[in-house]
Amino acid sequence: MGGESVEKLFENNRAWAERIKSEDPLFFQKLSEQQAPDYLWIGCSDSRVPANEIVGMLPGDIFVHRNVANLVIHTDLNCLSVIQYAVDVLKVKHIIVCGHYGCGGVVAAVRAENQGLIDNWLRHIKDIYYRYSERFDICKDEEARVDLLCELNVVEQVANVCHTTIVQDAWRRGQFLAVHGWIYSIRDGVLRDLEVSFDATRQVPEVYRHFPIRRRDE
Ligand code: CO
């Protein structure tokens, strides 16, 4: 928690490196030679949602991109570069978009608040809120609206991943690649699959396809 000095981080790091080495003396040597992760994780920057820890993975297991509210924006060169490198070079098998309930970015998008520059980033979430506005009639309070919007945001970002030329080109080549949408609960530490997985271009609406479907496996 707060109040710890930065020196503490170096102490922690030395203890962590020693612990890993005591369990597997060659761990860092093997990792330094190559990384071959099967998973790309696109998650929120929130400090309570650390990718590796919540799925019990070690360094080398997951390629990670995090930003505020786990957004995949078509013109975000940073996120697109991560996806391209993960798919084309590392050849990950799974891309996981993981949101979380109570996301601060989603809360800010639901409220009419001014938080500065970030409001422009969060506009993408307001667009989703507006697009699905009738879905929120059943929500009894703000918390319920935020949680539903957290889920819808994941669904939309999974679609955005599938709409990239990067993912569709991989499918066209016949490369196995599945895209998943998950949500994490900060309240109990449990992940839930939103069951919006895609592994072929034919699952993408025609208008978002970058090439006509010819074979069944595309
Ligand atoms: Co968040």
Side-chain angles (χ1 to χ4, degrees), residues 42-45 67-72 97-100 103 153-154 157:
I42 300 173
C44 184
S45 298
N67 62 37
V68 173
N70 41 271
L71 294 175
V72 177
V97 176
C98 186
H100 66 99
C103 181
N153 181 42
V154 170
Q157 304 318 316

Side-chain angles (χ1 to χ4, degrees), residues 106-178:
V106 175
V107 171
V110 164
R111 292 178 186 164
E113 283 180 351
N114 182 346
Q115 304 207 56
L117 176 72
I118 194 166
D119 294 335
N120 298 285
W121 180 250
L122 299 177
R123 246 293 310 281
H124 295 290
I125 304 177
K126 279 192 187 286
D127 289 343
I128 300 168
Y129 194 31
Y130 187 67
R131 191 177 314 148
Y132 292 96
S133 43
E134 75 284 356
R135 295 270 304 267
F136 291 85
D137 293 344
I138 55 160
C139 298
K140 62 182 190 312
D141 55 21
E142 185 189 81
E143 191 182 4
R145 282 197 299 279
V146 166
D147 285 351
L148 176 56
L149 188 50
C150 289
E151 292 179 359
L152 292 171
N153 181 42
V154 170
V155 173
E156 288 291 306
Q157 304 318 316
V158 166
N160 286 346
V161 172
C162 296
H163 298 169
T164 62
T165 53
I166 304 156
V167 167
Q168 291 187 24
D169 282 344
W171 285 335
R172 177 159 55 173
R173 298 193 288 270
Q175 182 177 334
F176 177 82
L177 180 63

Side-chain angles (χ1 to χ4, degrees), residues 191-202:
L191 270 177
R192 192 160 69 86
D193 187 350
L194 289 173
E195 293 174 9
V196 284
S197 297
F198 293 80
D199 62 8
T201 305
R202 67 187 138 71

Side-chain angles (χ1 to χ4, degrees), residues 5 14 36 78 127 188:
S5 68
R14 283 189 293 271
N78 184 350
D127 289 343
D188 61 11

